[in-house]
Amino acid sequence: MWEMGKPPRALFALYTMVLGKRWKDAAETVIIGGGCVGVSLAYHLAKAGQKDVVLLEKSELTAGSTWHAAVGFHQPGSIRIASTPVRVDELKYQMARTHWHPTPQWLITPEKIKELFPLLNMDKVLAGLYNPGDGHIDPYSLTMALAAGARMYGAQIYNPALVSGLTPTSDGKWDVQTPHGTIRANRIVNATGFWAREVGQQIGFDHPTIPVHHQYVVTATVPEVKALKAELPVIRDLEGSYYLRQERDGLLFGPYEKEEKMVLQDSWVRDGVPPGFGKELFESDLDRIMHHVEMAMEMVPVLKNADIINIVSGPITYTPDLLPMVGPHQGARNYWTAIGFGYGVIHAGGIGKFLSDWIVTGEPPYDLIECDPNRYGKWTTVPYLCAKARESYGFNNVVGYPKEERFAGRPTNRTSGVYELLKGKASMGFHAGWEQPHWFYKPGDNAGYKPSFRRTNWFGPVGRECKLVMEKVGVVDLTPFGKFMVKGKDSHKLLDRLFANTMPKVGLTNISHMLTPTGRVYAEVTITQLTPGEFLLITGSGSELHDLRWMEKEVAEGAYDVDISNVTEDIGVLGVAGPKARDVLQKLTQEDMSDASFKFLHCKPIQLGGINLRAIRISYTGELGWELYIPHKDMAAVYQAIMAAGEDEGIDNFGTYAMSSLRLEKGFRGWGAEMNCDTNPLEAGLDYFIKLNKHADFIGKAALQEIKAKGLKRKLSYITMETDDVDPEGNETIWLNGKVVGNTTSGAYSYTTQQSLAFAYLPVELCSVGQKVEVEMLGRKYPAMVVQEPLVLTEPTRTRLQKKSKA
């Protein structure tokens, strides 16, 4: 064997003959996979000035899912067809989120649709969502153009170059083995499409991706199409679950079947992709898609007489939720993914630029956490993956409701210690693999999951739960929180570098934020110092591995002597909140739970009902409350003891919908809504938690100092709204005098004050209390006004003011 993958000189002639160029033995970035996504990243990285970008393709560029995508390079526009009232609402719901993003699309009438697509049967068409810049592109030409650009800027593309092994080095780099030699890479990017699992398995990851059989049909010349003077726009018939467009003088039609008919290539998950598979296709099955064909014929009658000349059936890759996995992966230094694309041709340009910016600057250019590869964990088993991929394929064109739930593959093995006690009493939500109650049923309630764009069956019960917490005492399962133990000689030093707040003293808790180098909010974490140098960190359920990766990266690069343990699945969490919470807990413990002895934001180890646990006096509802951190095996026993002890106080369960309403009333910001990688903490109103004067040079400190010196252009405001049967969810457009001026971030109905409310970003000059604006929801602009926050004072504040008044 030759040293470091450098072959003997005599072999270079052979490699030059096979690869067409001299082999490189070192690279800044090695991209594995020559589909349009991988080639786009190579192009954008090289264009951004990164030296030594190498792309390795096992066979030839565009092999895999890219080459068989529907072809052409045209921009005739596209129309999403709505043929039911709920579909019209869906389009209006989307448009309310589009206006504050300058996107050239708008709702059009049936008359306009007919003008643009004269071959449609308009009997059922109610409206359309028109995007004039949309269209279709030849994936082969796209990929080759990107490859040419990548080479022009200095990237090297090697093919055929199969990656046979990936070995991490002690300094965080990678040895990428191929038959031609080894490349030492500073980072590697898995962009291998339906080979993603096999590449991931080389380093111990079972990426939850699976190939799905997707079919499309191409017709011969259709006289009515040939006679047209302008190319037809692409249409997407949401009820028929298909797309249809012009292909030369014929038509091209592609459906998405329901889960009971669609086909997974699950053998590739179990046994791997067959060696040599590249530009092969699956056997077509027209019978499987006939229901969609018939619906398309009804919508586009000329299809009835069209001759089919080709049926293509090829693999496209799906993840459980249909979204790709994009970014650095937790658990392996400098390993990135760009996989799981059901629509790689569509996403390639944006994803290549997004990842390139992140790699070059060290932080994401904007927030895209919904595509974070770390949203999945070991709970994504193969049966779960298959069930969700079936569901998601059919969900391509289902109505996209707010608060949407999908139930295939659930529950996973991630269930809390009280799940069996609660599952028959509540409407469950899904959070990072966990089942968590959204709201609870009572006799006479309209139970079950009944989604809507307007107030639906959960509205009344959630109000009942809010009243419970405000007047009595409620219990909520908070087990899905991400939980980490950080300890070691450098633990305090590490956390001071990572977080903008000062570290709490032993026995105390605070809210802290990790910032990016440019001063944006990467994460919000609750930190408690349990013993000297030992910290418990709590983050949101969807942020568990997202935050852990960021912390592990800093540990590695800063050579900190610390140990970070992910204890998320070891510890269950119950929240107990309400004016009677203290009375209930005091019955079960010898620990003094009074204000004087157990103060707000304090933590104590206590024994509750004979079980040892940790209690933190904090409440995400803003009411008197504690979070109880319990060994998972003891969680059910503690819950049952609390419920029995609180019988006289009227104790009951509440869910996350009530908690969300209560936290908004109290003016509590939420990560992922009011703050994320698109916002800085000063404009989000988090000044109290940001200690610019602390000695430690925390990440983002210098950037925040500069932001503060320059002044803010927008700020988070608190608004109330005059609504009817619809409430804000977040991301709605805000208008003033016919112009877009901002957007909501989250919203809900305040049951305490009986009005809708929301957080919203507005220009600084529009943030004054009393400022009137309008919020767009379902095609209507509702009056709104900036008010002083919060609508309801938190329990500690109310108590303090009461004491002051009495004094």
Side-chain angles (χ1 to χ4, degrees):
M1 292 297 292
W2 45 79
E3 179 188 0
M4 289 297 298
K6 299 178 182 178
R9 186 182 304 274
L11 293 180
F12 271 125
L14 173 62
Y15 297 137
T16 300
M17 191 164 57
V18 172
L19 296 172
K21 63 198 75 179
R22 189 180 180 92
W23 185 253
K24 290 176 68 73
D25 58 13
E28 182 72 20
T29 300
V30 168
I31 301 161
I32 309 168
C36 56
V37 172
V39 176
S40 173
L41 176 57
Y43 166 74
H44 282 98
L45 276 175
K47 185 180 180 183
Q50 184 171 114
K51 305 300 181 184
D52 297 327
V53 177
V54 171
L55 183 144
L56 303 175
E57 164 54 42
K58 69 189 295 289
S59 56
E60 56 185 296
L61 298 185
T62 79
S65 296
T66 298
W67 81 272
H68 65 76
V71 297
F73 179 58
H74 306 262
Q75 284 186 287
S78 70
I79 307 170
R80 296 176 72 88
I81 302 295
S83 53
T84 65
V86 73
R87 286 292 187 186
V88 176
D89 275 351
E90 181 183 26
L91 300 188
K92 291 177 179 177
Y93 183 82
Q94 293 172 1
M95 285 304 299
R97 283 148 181 78
T98 296
H99 284 129
W100 69 276
H101 290 292
T103 306
Q105 66 176 39
W106 51 85
L107 289 174
I108 57 176
T109 64
E111 292 75 19
K112 182 64 176 178
I113 295 171
K114 183 68 174 178
E115 176 188 330
L116 293 167
F117 203 115
L119 304 182
L120 280 181
N121 173 6
M122 302 299 295
D123 290 349
K124 296 181 180 179
V125 176
L126 300 177
L129 188 62
Y130 178 51
N131 185 323
D134 202 355
H136 48 97
I137 189 167
D138 169 15
Y140 181 86
S141 299
L142 168 66
T143 304
M144 292 307 172
L146 288 168
R151 293 187 183 103
M152 180 181 70
Y153 286 113
Q156 296 292 328
I157 298 176
Y158 294 127
N159 67 288
L162 171 71
V163 173
S164 55
L166 296 168
T167 305
T169 66
S170 59
D171 59 352
K173 298 182 180 181
W174 291 89
D175 283 338
V176 183
Q177 287 105 32
T178 79
H180 312 294
T182 296
I183 303 177
R184 174 66 60 85
N186 288 1
R187 74 184 56 79
I188 55 176
V189 183
N190 182 350
T192 56
F194 52 71
W195 288 281
R197 282 181 67 87
E198 293 178 50
V199 171
Q201 285 168 349
Q202 293 184 17
I203 55 176
F205 292 120
D206 284 316
H207 295 312
T209 62
I210 188 170
V212 172
H213 290 223
H214 179 65
Q215 299 189 95
Y216 66 86
V217 175
V218 183
T219 76
T221 295
V222 176
E224 294 88 345
V225 174
K226 187 174 184 179
L228 294 170
K229 295 181 179 179
E231 183 176 357
L232 294 168
V234 180
I235 66 164
R236 292 176 175 85
D237 180 359
L238 304 175
E239 294 305 309
S241 189
Y242 64 83
Y243 58 87
L244 182 145
R245 66 169 177 80
Q246 185 173 336
E247 173 65 15
R248 298 184 176 88
D249 291 330
L251 295 169
L252 183 150
F253 156 81
Y256 295 95
E257 309 105 294
K258 292 183 179 179
E259 56 188 286
E260 64 270 14
K261 285 194 173 183
M262 57 83 67
V263 176
L264 295 175
Q265 194 61 34
D266 50 356
S267 65
W268 290 8
V269 175
R270 296 190 306 270
D271 308 321
V273 182
F277 190 97
K279 291 192 173 182
E280 292 77 10
L281 291 170
F282 300 129
E283 186 175 347
S284 61
D285 182 359
L286 187 59
D287 290 342
R288 203 176 79 226
I289 61 173
M290 276 309 298
H291 170 70
H292 303 278
V293 172
E294 290 166 0
M295 294 190 75
M297 287 177 173
E298 183 180 355
M299 183 65 75
V300 187
V302 297
L303 264 180
K304 295 177 182 178
N305 299 318
D307 293 325
I308 294 175
I309 60 172
N310 197 15
I311 304 174
V312 177
S313 179
I316 56 175
T317 308
Y318 267 51
T319 62
D321 63 7
L322 186 56
L323 293 172
M325 300 170 61
V326 181
H329 204 289
Q330 188 273 329
R333 290 177 66 188
N334 297 314
Y335 172 64
W336 297 59
T337 62
I339 58 177
F341 292 91
Y343 315 100
V345 174
I346 296 172
H347 293 147
I351 289 298
K353 182 66 166 65
F354 175 81
L355 279 179
S356 172
D357 288 351
W358 192 343
I359 288 170
V360 170
T361 67
E363 64 178 281
Y366 47 86
D367 197 87
L368 205 62
I369 192 173
E370 62 268 29
C371 295
D372 185 11
N374 306 298
R375 68 188 185 273
Y376 297 119
K378 293 180 180 179
W379 49 270
T380 49
T381 61
V382 170
Y384 171 83
L385 165 61
C386 292
K388 297 305 286 188
R390 282 188 176 279
E391 179 187 56
S392 291
Y393 189 74
F395 261 86
N396 266 286
N397 291 311
V398 301
V399 177
Y401 288 105
K403 294 182 170 65
E404 181 184 67
E405 287 295 322
R406 302 181 182 183
F407 296 97
R410 294 169 51 183
T412 71
N413 56 15
R414 265 194 160 183
T415 53
S416 80
V418 296
Y419 172 70
E420 291 297 327
L421 299 173
L422 302 180
K423 65 179 182 180
K425 304 176 181 178
S427 178
M428 289 287 180
F430 189 71
H431 303 272
W434 298 96
E435 299 290 323
Q436 187 175 29
H438 278 164
W439 61 279
F440 286 84
Y441 316 139
K442 293 292 183 186
D445 287 344
N446 181 8
Y449 173 66
K450 295 178 173 60
S452 174
F453 292 102
R454 295 171 170 81
R455 293 172 185 167
T456 182
N457 60 331
W458 54 261
F459 185 78
V462 171
R464 180 176 63 219
E465 293 173 17
C466 289
K467 182 178 174 68
L468 167 77
V469 175
M470 292 298 292
E471 297 179 0
K472 297 179 181 178
V473 54
V475 179
V476 60
D477 182 9
L478 299 174
T479 299
F481 282 157
K483 301 172 278 287
F484 315 115
M485 297 294 295
V486 180
K487 58 184 177 180
K489 182 170 67 72
D490 292 338
S491 60
H492 201 291
K493 179 182 176 184
L494 168 70
L495 298 181
D496 249 342
R497 169 65 176 161
L498 283 169
F499 291 93
N501 204 344
T502 54
M503 289 303 102
K505 296 178 181 178
V506 174
L508 299 185
T509 297
N510 71 16
I511 309 298
S512 299
H513 298 84
M514 290 194 289
L515 308 180
T516 69
T518 59
R520 294 176 295 167
V521 185
Y522 190 83
E524 181 179 74
V525 178
T526 302
I527 301 179
T528 304
Q529 188 165 188
L530 304 175
T531 63
E534 181 185 22
F535 297 84
L536 172 65
L537 275 58
I538 308 297
T539 189
S541 58
S543 306
E544 177 191 345
L545 300 182
H546 169 271
D547 294 1
L548 181 59
R549 186 206 66 81
W550 187 264
M551 292 188 289
E552 289 175 338
K553 178 176 181 289
E554 183 63 25
V555 170
E557 293 179 355
Y560 292 90
D561 183 3
V562 295
D563 176 69
I564 302 178
S565 302
N566 186 352
V567 295
T568 299
E569 297 187 1
D570 302 328
I571 301 174
V573 187
L574 291 175
V576 184
K580 302 291 185 181
R582 175 183 288 113
D583 299 338
V584 173
L585 295 179
Q586 192 66 78
K587 295 178 186 180
L588 297 170
T589 183
Q590 297 298 314
E591 185 70 39
D592 185 353
M593 305 296 285
S594 67
D595 280 334
S597 181
F598 207 143
K599 297 179 180 179
F600 183 58
L601 293 179
H602 279 55
C603 173
K604 290 184 181 182
I606 68 172
Q607 194 174 76
L608 198 73
I611 294 171
N612 294 320
L613 52 87
R614 287 190 177 93
I616 301 176
R617 189 174 166 195
I618 187 173
S619 175
Y620 294 97
T621 67
E623 292 306 297
L624 174 67
W626 282 264
E627 312 298 345
L628 307 177
Y629 292 83
I630 311 159
H632 214 101
K633 62 182 178 61
D634 298 323
M635 192 176 176
V638 172
Y639 169 82
Q640 289 171 320
I642 292 171
M643 298 305 283
E647 191 171 338
D648 291 343
E649 284 76 13
I651 197 169
D652 211 337
N653 299 291
F654 70 102
T656 57
Y657 285 0
M659 187 168 71
S660 178
S661 175
L662 291 165
R663 73 98 177 165
L664 279 163
E665 289 179 347
K666 309 304 192 313
F668 290 0
R669 280 90 170 130
W671 192 89
E674 285 68 60
M675 59 185 114
N676 55 26
C677 283
D678 294 329
T679 59
N680 69 65
L682 303 182
E683 65 187 3
L686 299 170
D687 309 54
Y688 177 80
F689 306 104
I690 307 300
K691 301 300 190 288
L692 286 173
N693 59 350
K694 84 170 187 176
H695 177 72
D697 183 24
F698 61 84
I699 297 171
K701 183 177 182 178
L704 276 192
Q705 289 170 329
E706 185 175 344
I707 290 169
K708 187 174 182 179
K710 289 182 177 179
L712 300 175
K713 294 182 179 180
R714 65 170 190 168
K715 288 193 72 174
L716 190 69
S717 297
Y718 199 59
I719 62 174
T720 56
M721 299 169 54
E722 299 175 24
T723 59
D724 37 40
D725 64 341
V726 60
D727 297 298
E729 292 278 337
N731 288 320
E732 291 95 358
T733 299
I734 300 178
W735 298 80
L736 178 64
N737 298 329
K739 293 184 178 180
V740 174
V741 293
N743 63 280
T744 62
T745 54
S746 61
Y749 184 76
S750 166
Y751 294 89
T752 307
T753 64
Q754 298 187 358
Q755 59 189 322
S756 292
L757 72 156
F759 275 118
Y761 275 107
L762 291 170
V764 171
E765 62 271 19
L766 299 180
C767 292
S768 301
V769 171
Q771 174 70 54
K772 293 183 178 180
V773 292
E774 294 177 305
V775 177
E776 180 184 353
M777 296 189 296
L778 297 182
R780 177 180 167 188
K781 295 174 183 175
Y782 289 84
M785 185 172 67
V786 177
V787 297
Q788 182 68 43
E789 62 173 290
L791 286 181
V792 181
L793 296 175
T794 62
E795 178 273 330
T797 303
R798 296 198 307 266
T799 300
R800 185 171 65 251
L801 291 176
Q802 287 169 0
K803 290 180 178 178
K804 185 176 181 181
S805 177
K806 289 178 181 179

